């Protein structure tokens, strides 16, 4: 009688499907992978070094120089709060504060109002909406100095040139003015220039907010009998709160530190009628050589902008929650 060989079950010592692991197989070796958690910092360090050298160090040095009599060259001595006392007694600087606030208020109100109207106008199904968006936004990417030079031609005081020529051509010659040479008009002429340049930027932000409003809400309000104004007031406007926050913050900060357009268009004139804090600190540093005093003005401006921005942000964020 011949014996039939026994088949080995899979996983046994004699099986071919696997090998049993017993106590004699030895300890299991764990493969250690290299730690890559600190590697990204290697790429961040160069940027941090550049930021520290270009931004942090000059900012901290400026705070120190605000308490000195440094002239920009050579040594200096600490003068305590003398620069800030001189700032309070400087009539030109105090007038620039008033001009800065008036300019900021005008820019914030008109720029955002025009930007909202433009956004509502291009947020429709008209065929030219893409072209209109491009046209309205284009000035925002132009250099502020180039815009100021362009508008100096628009504000040409000659009766037959620029805006005065257009007014004369349409029968409104009595409204022709020396737009940048009249102390009562120079500041508002600069404000109109700034609004023209950045209203399209505000339009883009509002347009993004409008595109985030669900169409179902408008449809439901329309079914309930709400008109266009009621739908805007009770549906669209509350949901535009985040976009309004962004636009008000950007336009307020930009207005408070406005320099390029003012300096290129009027140089703060005529007289001091369009002088702003930014032009004052520039002239004190690079025209009169009072770097210590100018850095004190810059420090006051920076603290003022920060305080206004924080208060504004607090109230606007609270409005977003209630809206």
């Amino acid at each position: 009688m011949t014996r039939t060989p026994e088949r080995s079950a899979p996983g046994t010592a004699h099986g071919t499907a696997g090998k049993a692991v017993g106590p004699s197989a030895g300890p299991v070796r764990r493969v250690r992978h290299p730690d890559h958690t600190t590697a990204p910092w290697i790429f961040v360090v160069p940027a941090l070094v550049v930021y520290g050298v270009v931004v942090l160090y000059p900012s901290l040095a400026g705070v120190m120089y605000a308490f000195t009599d440094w002239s920009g060259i050579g040594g200096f001595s600490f003068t305590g709060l003398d620069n800030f006392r001189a700032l309070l007694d400087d009539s030109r600087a105090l007038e620039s504060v008033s001009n800065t606030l008036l300019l900021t208020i005008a820019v914030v109100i008109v720029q955002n109002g025009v930007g909202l109207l433009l956004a509502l106008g291009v947020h429709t199904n008209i065929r030219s909406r893409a072209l209109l968006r491009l046209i309205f936004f284009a000035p925002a990417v132009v250099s502020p100095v180039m815009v100021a030079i362009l508008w100096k031609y628009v504000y040409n005081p000659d009766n037959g040139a620029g805006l005065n020529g257009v007014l004369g051509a349409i029968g409104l010659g009595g409204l022709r003015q020396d737009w940048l040479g009249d102390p009562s008009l120079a500041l508002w002429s600069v404000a109109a220039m700034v609004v023209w340049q950045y209203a399209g930027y505000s339009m883009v932000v509002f347009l993004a907010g409008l595109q985030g409003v669900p169409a179902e809400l408008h449809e439901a309000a329309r079914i309930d009998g709400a008109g266009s104004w009621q739908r805007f007031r009770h549906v669209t406007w509350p949901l535009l709160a985040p976009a309004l926050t962004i636009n008000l913050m950007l336009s307020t900060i930009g207005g408070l530190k406005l320099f390029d357009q003012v300096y290129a268009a009027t140089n703060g004139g005529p007289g001091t009628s369009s002088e702003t804090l930014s032009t004052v600190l520039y002239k004190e540093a690079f025209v009169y050589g009072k770097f210590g005093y100018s850095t004190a003005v810059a420090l006051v401006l920076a603290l003022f902008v920060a305080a206004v921005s924080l208060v504004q942000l607090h109230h606007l964020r609270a409005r977003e929650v209630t809206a």
Side-chain angles (χ1 to χ4, degrees):
M1 180 182 296
T2 58
R3 298 180 58 184
T4 304
E6 298 179 358
R7 295 183 178 179
S8 301
T12 61
H14 301 285
T16 58
K19 183 180 291 185
V21 179
S24 60
V28 178
R29 299 180 62 183
R30 296 182 178 178
V31 180
R32 292 186 178 182
H33 297 281
D35 187 8
H36 297 288
T37 56
T38 58
W41 289 101
I42 298 176
F43 300 96
V44 176
V45 168
L48 291 177
V49 171
V50 173
Y51 181 79
V53 173
V54 176
V55 178
L56 292 181
Y57 174 73
S59 300
L60 296 176
V63 174
M64 180 191 69
Y65 288 135
F67 299 91
T68 68
D69 59 355
W70 189 45
S71 62
I73 301 175
F76 58 87
S77 59
F78 287 94
T79 58
L81 299 176
D82 290 350
N83 289 328
F84 299 95
R85 296 191 186 97
L87 176 61
L88 294 177
D89 295 332
D90 189 347
S91 59
R92 185 168 64 96
L94 295 179
E95 183 181 0
S96 71
V97 173
S98 175
N99 291 338
T100 301
L101 292 176
L102 290 175
L103 185 61
T104 301
I105 293 172
V107 168
V108 169
I109 295 176
V110 181
Q111 175 182 319
N112 288 287
V114 173
L116 179 59
L117 292 177
L118 292 177
L120 293 172
V122 299
H123 187 61
T124 58
N125 294 325
I126 57 175
R127 294 182 178 180
S128 59
R129 61 183 181 277
L131 178 61
L132 291 175
R133 294 174 186 178
L134 176 62
I135 294 174
F136 293 144
F137 180 72
V141 300
V142 181
S143 168
V145 176
M146 292 301 298
V147 170
I149 294 174
L150 171 64
W151 276 81
K152 287 185 73 173
Y153 286 99
V154 174
Y155 288 140
N156 193 313
D158 293 339
N159 290 335
L163 180 58
N164 286 337
V166 174
L167 292 175
I170 61 177
L172 298 177
L175 298 179
R176 290 180 294 198
Q177 303 287 338
D178 185 1
W179 302 99
L180 297 178
D182 188 343
S184 63
L185 294 176
L187 188 67
W188 309 116
S189 299
V190 173
M193 179 195 315
V194 176
V195 169
W196 176 85
Q197 181 174 11
Y198 293 113
Y201 190 93
S202 299
M203 175 201 71
V204 172
V205 178
F206 280 127
L207 189 60
L210 289 173
Q211 291 175 346
V213 178
E216 295 80 4
L217 296 179
H218 282 286
E219 186 64 27
R222 187 181 295 108
I223 294 174
D224 290 339
S228 299
W229 168 249
Q230 292 175 324
R231 293 198 304 272
F232 172 78
R233 179 182 178 184
H234 297 290
V235 177
T236 303
W237 181 245
L239 296 178
L240 281 180
L244 181 65
T245 298
I246 296 173
N247 273 332
L248 289 180
M249 291 291 297
L250 292 178
S251 56
T252 300
I253 295 174
L256 290 175
K257 63 183 186 66
L258 194 65
F259 170 77
D260 302 43
Q261 294 92 332
V262 176
Y263 190 79
T266 66
N267 196 20
T272 58
S273 60
S274 62
E275 202 84 83
T276 64
L277 273 173
S278 296
T279 59
V280 167
L281 71 90
Y282 174 83
K283 292 178 180 179
E284 291 293 338
F286 298 102
V287 177
Y288 305 114
K290 300 179 181 179
F291 278 82
Y293 180 70
S294 68
T295 52
V297 177
L299 181 59
V300 171
L301 176 60
L303 294 176
F304 181 67
V305 171
V308 172
S309 301
L310 289 175
V311 172
Q312 189 180 44
L313 181 62
H314 173 73
H315 288 285
L316 291 175
R317 288 296 188 188
R319 180 186 178 277
E320 289 183 23
V321 174
T322 56

